[in-house]
Amino acid sequence: MASTSTTETEQSTEEPAEQESALQTARRQLRHAADHLDIDPNIVERLEHPKSVHEVTVPIERDDGSVDVFTGYRAQHDSVRGPHKGGLRFHPEVTRDECVGLGMWMTWKCAVMDLPFGGAKGGISVNPKELSDREKEQLTRRFTEELRDVIGPTVDIPAPDMGTDPQTMAWLMDAYSMQEGETIPGVVTGKPPVVGGSKGRDSAPGRSVAIIAREAIDYYEKDIRETSVAIQGYGSVGANAARLLDEWGANVVALSDVNGGIYDTNGLDTHSIPTHHEEPEAVMTHDAPETVSNDELLELDVDVLIPAAVGNVLTADNADAVQADLIVEGANGPTTSAASEIFAERDIPVIPDILANAGGVTVSYFEWLQDINRRAWSLERVNDELETEMLAAWHDVREELEERDVTWRDAAYIVALSRVAEAHDARGLWP
Ligand code: NAD
């Protein structure tokens, strides 16, 4: 029973709805940002395409002795500012085009944060839930071997994504290191701290969402202690953001997981509500005056809405009903293009994912620095440096927003694209 997928038009669960693929969206956003800038069209043309895409065949022996063959990809979009960086996902809907589109987004995410990395994304078209731990380890090791010539700490540094986790990254690091003949922790980030992972990596995307939400609240001249917040998704991103905002004085009034949400206008005690990782899908077990569906949560009358679960939840169908004054994207791609236009018309600011949840890749960068210097940082240092990086990026995007009178998303893409384009311009085309 071969599980190989060669379909290149399949849609990812995270790609924008309204019939646009991740790659189409990425290209449209690139051209849109380029329209605001005086960039050599040849550079834009080049950036519409990945630098390279590696497609590999990954056979493994199943526990019953049979052999299954899977297809893996690594799309490397751009490396003008440094090694490629981006996740590896194990998911049945992984396709070549999806990896190319998501790899392009990683280029912009790294550039908006001014990290010395370019973008990449990869994965295997497989349902990891159907694999035993032994099979998953074998798949990871064989995939690493197939990619060994095109990854490395100065070339391309994978990280966890959907269906992969710190253990997967530890196997990858081990497989790569064994073949290279030395321990090379910098080949991958998101590892367990015992093999060179960084403290604070897990909480970083949620922490950055909270920092950016706090800055945006301040920018729109609201007092965080008088700000109500609704958060969809109570996993790594949503729960870390919720608890920090709660600690900083915000009134977190609504939270949800895949089963639905709870709502208390007096504010929820986020620390007493089990997160997805503490106790999966337990939000609804918490006592609260009201329950809401995930759809209703998005339309609550709150100051700040943070979609932090899955993509494409804010669409043309519900954008008009959203009552929040500010949206901060915690998930990747929660707002479709059509919804973005409606929010722009309605003057509801949407702080984009590539800025708000970029704490993950930023602490991955810190992890890589720790690995190549063989020196671990304290959690306090990680969080302090993350704060500094987030504020710098926020400042750069805000300047662009004010100067050009564009949306936050456009401003973030303009910052990112100008950095990448300037680097291409400075380096020139070789040969
Ligand atoms: P997670 O698995 O830790 O938690 C996901 C949460 O969302 C859970 O509470 C789950 O019950 C809930 N959920 C799942 N499907 C839902 C649905 N249809 N409606 C409402 N809630 C639903 O995931 P995470 O790591 O927090 O990631 C959330 C989002 O943030 C994803 O879009 C992910 O790509 C993005 N993101 C994650 C990271 C990271 O490093 N964790 C970094 C950047 C972006």
Side-chain angles (χ1 to χ4, degrees), residues 172-206:
L172 193 161
M173 181 270 224
D174 186 66
Y176 183 83
S177 298
M178 293 309 265
Q179 292 291 357
E180 295 290 310
E182 58 179 312
T183 296
I184 307 178
V187 65
V188 68
T189 60
K191 303 175 292 296
V194 71
V195 287
S198 179
K199 294 190 176 77
R201 171 64 182 82
D202 289 350
S203 56

Side-chain angles (χ1 to χ4, degrees), residues 14 89 109 121 160-162 201-206 208-209 232-240 256-260 274-277 280-283 294-295 307-311 313 329-334 353 356-361:
E14 278 193 352
R89 50 176 61 177
K109 198 180 266 199
K121 197 69 133 193
D161 204 280
M162 285 161 75
R201 171 64 182 82
D202 289 350
S203 56
S208 69
V209 169
Q232 183 181 64
Y234 204 53
S236 167
V237 176
N240 281 298
S256 72
D257 62 25
V258 69
N259 299 320
T275 70
H276 182 64
H277 299 276
E281 329 299 12
V283 167
N294 265 301
D295 289 345
V310 289
V313 292
E329 294 185 334
N332 284 325
D353 45 10
N357 70 27
V361 72

